[in-house]
């Protein structure tokens, strides 16, 4: 409520309950994990269930090739803001993982599942990390392997984290 006071205006039966039921049902989020989603992204309750939430979940399942039913719930619990991003925005980042990094659709899905914040990172920032790895001698395949194993590389700063560690090694 502190993050989104408008929640107090929403009717329980019309807004809150259908979204909670959706998160608990088709998304597979457990009752214990539900508070994490609500606290991290209360804006999930402001978007339309049928025009936004359901298509967004279907988009993520399709684009990331999430075959395990629990995967979408895991992704939402880790990064519920993904439900409020546009399909176009997420598609650009997923396409970056395919075209620039060379990850297969399945590997891209695993990378996003391991580090869903990738769906929010700027493409320029992600490219900076890839370019740095290439500049120190990584081949395209080695970069793909690195990102596949540790997608959190995208959350690191080149000058503050990656470059100093590379020079140390």
């Amino acid at each position: 409520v502190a993050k989104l006071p408008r929640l107090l205006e929403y009717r329980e039966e019309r807004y809150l309950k259908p979204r909670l039921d959706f998160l608990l049902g088709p998304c597979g989020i457990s009752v214990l994990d539900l508070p994490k989603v609500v606290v991290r992204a209360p804006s999930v309750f402001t978007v339309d269930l049928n025009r936004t939430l359901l298509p967004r979940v279907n988009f993520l399942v399709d684009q990331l090739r999430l075959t395990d039913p629990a995967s979408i719930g895991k992704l939402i619990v880790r990064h519920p803001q993904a439900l409020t991003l546009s399909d176009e925005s997420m598609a650009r980042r997923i396409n970056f993982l395919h075209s620039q990094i060379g990850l297969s659709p399945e590997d891209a899905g695993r990378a996003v599942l391991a580090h869903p914040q990738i769906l929010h990172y700027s493409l320029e920032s992600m490219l900076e990390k890839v370019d740095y790895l290439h500049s120190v001698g990584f081949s395209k395949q080695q970069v793909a392997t690195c990102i596949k194993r540790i997608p959190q590389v995208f959350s690191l700063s080149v000058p503050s984290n990656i470059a100093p560690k590379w020079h140390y090694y």
Side-chain angles (χ1 to χ4, degrees), residues 30-143:
S30 74
V31 173
L32 295 175
D33 285 332
L34 191 59
K36 295 175 190 174
V37 174
V38 175
V39 169
R40 290 177 183 159
S43 58
V44 166
F45 293 100
T46 66
V47 294
D48 189 87
L49 181 61
N50 294 315
R51 288 187 311 209
T52 304
L53 291 179
L54 183 58
R56 193 72 24 83
V57 166
N58 291 335
F59 173 84
L60 287 166
V61 168
D62 181 53
Q63 290 293 306
L64 300 176
R65 308 238 173 126
L66 301 177
T67 55
D68 177 15
S71 295
I72 192 65
K74 182 178 175 183
L75 186 146
I76 293 169
V77 169
R78 286 183 166 176
H79 194 64
Q81 296 85 347
L83 293 176
T84 62
L85 292 170
S86 72
D87 291 351
E88 181 184 321
S89 173
M90 291 188 290
R92 284 194 308 268
R93 281 137 186 91
I94 294 167
N95 185 49
F96 176 87
L97 295 174
H98 298 306
S99 63
Q100 295 289 328
I101 308 294
L103 294 182
S104 70
E106 292 77 14
D107 286 340
R110 283 192 282 279
V112 171
L113 193 57
H115 193 61
Q117 293 81 355
I118 289 172
L119 297 172
H120 261 101
Y121 292 152
S122 84
L123 293 174
E124 294 78 23
S125 172
M126 293 168 68
L127 187 57
E128 176 190 17
K129 279 73 168 185
V130 172
D131 286 346
Y132 180 79
L133 293 173
H134 286 303
S135 76
V136 296
F138 279 56
S139 68
K140 185 170 181 158
Q141 180 60 42
Q142 289 171 322
V143 170

